[in-house]
Every structure is written in C-alpha cells, then in structure tokens.
Amino acid sequence: ATPPVMVSESAKAVWSKLEADAAHIDDIAARAKLPSTTVSLALLELELAGRVRQSAGGRYARAPQPL
C-alpha cells in the first residue's frame, strides 16, 4: 500500500514503518528514528486522512483500505 499523497514527509516516514499489526507509538518512533512528538503528530495526520487506526494503549496500525 502506498502512503497518502497529501501528507507531510514525517507522516510518509511513519507510514513506511507501520504494519497491519498494531504497535506502540514508542516502537514506531524507534523504527522511524524520529522523536515521539513528531511521530504523534504524523499519526494524527494519518488518522485524520483515514490511513491509520488507533487501538487501546496508544497502539497504531495501518487502516484497512477499501477495494
């Protein structure tokens, strides 16, 4: 799956580190080699774009995309 076109570069970097299985924001930050605050903003941006979903405990995963 490709990242949304109209998002920031940090959101694209975070998107590339997300998987179908939910991961904690700290784990995503470590994978992306970005500060947690940057990752948090990027995840919000992606969530508003409908590309990620948040689950309990601050865990995030790629949202299922419609066919």
Side-chain angles (χ1 to χ4, degrees):
T2 58
V5 177
M6 301 298 288
V7 295
S8 66
E9 290 302 313
S10 58
K12 289 178 184 178
V14 168
W15 169 261
S16 72
K17 303 304 177 189
L18 287 173
E19 300 172 355
D21 294 331
H24 191 270
I25 189 169
D26 292 336
D27 296 329
I28 298 166
R31 286 185 213 155
K33 296 183 172 76
L34 293 169
S36 294
T37 54
T38 302
V39 172
S40 180
L41 289 172
L43 288 168
L44 175 61
E45 185 178 349
L46 291 165
E47 193 172 10
L48 291 172
R51 301 307 296 264
V52 301
R53 59 180 168 78
Q54 181 181 9
S55 58
R59 299 173 65 78
Y60 291 85
R62 289 185 177 185
Q65 296 299 305
L67 298 175

